[in-house]
Amino acid sequence: MYPHRYITSLATTYYVSSNGNNNNTGLSLANPFKTIQHAVDLVAAGDSVLVTAGQYSGFDMRTGGNSGSPIVIQAIEANVEITSPALSQMMELM
């Protein structure tokens, strides 16, 4: 018999800060992304997006987690505000 090999998927934690940059890795508070949208464009089941204080635009999440590996978007500081797109932008999406 051959030994079993298990492939495990490691979850990734992305950081977002209002003074970040979407060219950063997003993998630490020292190198955060600027927008939540950029982070959610990269997530997979089990990943987390941690958001620091600031005002952010709404986002469109197209990836889903599952019951065993949810995607978590969480404020890690007070005063996180996520605004919705302008009504004109919403009408263009319809």
Side-chain angles (χ1 to χ4, degrees):
M1 285 194 159
Y2 296 103
H4 293 284
R5 290 189 177 179
Y6 296 97
I7 299 173
T8 58
S9 174
L10 299 177
T12 302
T13 299
Y14 295 103
Y15 295 86
V16 177
S17 172
S18 59
N19 62 0
N21 185 315
N22 286 343
N23 291 318
N24 288 343
T25 64
L27 298 175
S28 70
L29 281 172
N31 292 297
F33 293 137
K34 174 126 180 114
T35 65
I36 298 171
Q37 184 64 59
H38 189 72
V40 300
D41 286 345
L42 300 173
V43 295
D47 290 350
S48 297
V49 177
L50 304 182
V51 184
T52 63
Q55 186 176 36
Y56 301 92
S57 295
F59 56 93
D60 180 19
M61 184 133 174
R62 301 286 174 122
T63 303
N66 57 56
S67 62
S69 297
I71 294 172
V72 176
I73 300 170
Q74 181 176 356
I76 57 172
E77 295 179 345
N79 300 318
V80 172
E81 181 181 346
I82 300 173
T83 61
S84 297
L87 181 58
S88 61
Q89 290 173 323
M90 290 175 59
M91 296 302 286
E92 288 176 15
L93 296 175
M94 294 180 166

